Amino acid sequence: MAKKIVNLLILLPLGVILIVFCVANRQSVTLAFNPFKPEDQVLAVSAPFFVFLFIALIAGMLIGSAATWFSQGKHRKRARTEAKEAIRWQGEADRHRSRAEEIAGQLPSR
């Protein structure tokens, strides 16, 4: 319930701001990829300004996510090796427990 309230308090105003931002930046702009001849239409893209801003935002999020993913790789590797080691130790403990129960079952009762 608290998560829904927090999502509403954050996502609803963010959505309203994005809609207002899109409506305010509808004018078409041209992005030229040729710095030496900007009027060249072969290497130019025309779109509303908010499209370019959203593309830049999404690209930044993807690059940041990839950088975080690669920088945390050593921690994920360590977690995998420790999980495998824990499974190995659990198996060994189970073998010792079953062996102890087997030995206890062979002892004469008093």
Side-chain angles (χ1 to χ4, degrees), residues 89-105:
W89 283 109
Q90 182 66 41
E92 187 172 333
D94 290 341
R95 283 192 302 276
H96 285 296
R97 184 180 304 114
S98 63
R99 178 71 178 137
E101 289 171 355
E102 181 183 311
I103 292 172

Side-chain angles (χ1 to χ4, degrees), residues 2-87:
K3 185 177 180 180
K4 288 183 181 182
I5 293 172
V6 170
N7 281 341
L8 280 175
L9 289 176
I10 293 173
L11 295 178
L12 187 65
L14 185 63
V16 170
I17 290 170
L18 286 175
I19 290 171
V20 169
F21 181 76
C22 290
V23 170
N25 291 293
R26 292 179 304 180
Q27 64 273 17
S28 184
V29 294
T30 301
L31 177 64
F33 292 105
N34 187 353
F36 302 111
K37 194 174 178 186
E39 62 275 356
D40 184 13
Q41 293 299 315
V42 175
L43 295 174
V45 177
S46 293
F49 186 60
F50 71 89
V51 171
F52 293 124
L53 292 175
F54 281 156
I55 290 171
L57 177 72
I58 291 170
M61 289 171 51
L62 291 174
I63 291 169
S65 298
T68 302
W69 176 261
F70 287 121
S71 69
Q72 293 177 351
K74 59 185 173 190
H75 302 293
R76 286 191 307 278
K77 182 178 180 182
R78 181 176 174 201
R80 280 192 305 270
T81 57
E82 288 180 358
K84 288 178 185 175
E85 187 175 340
I87 291 170

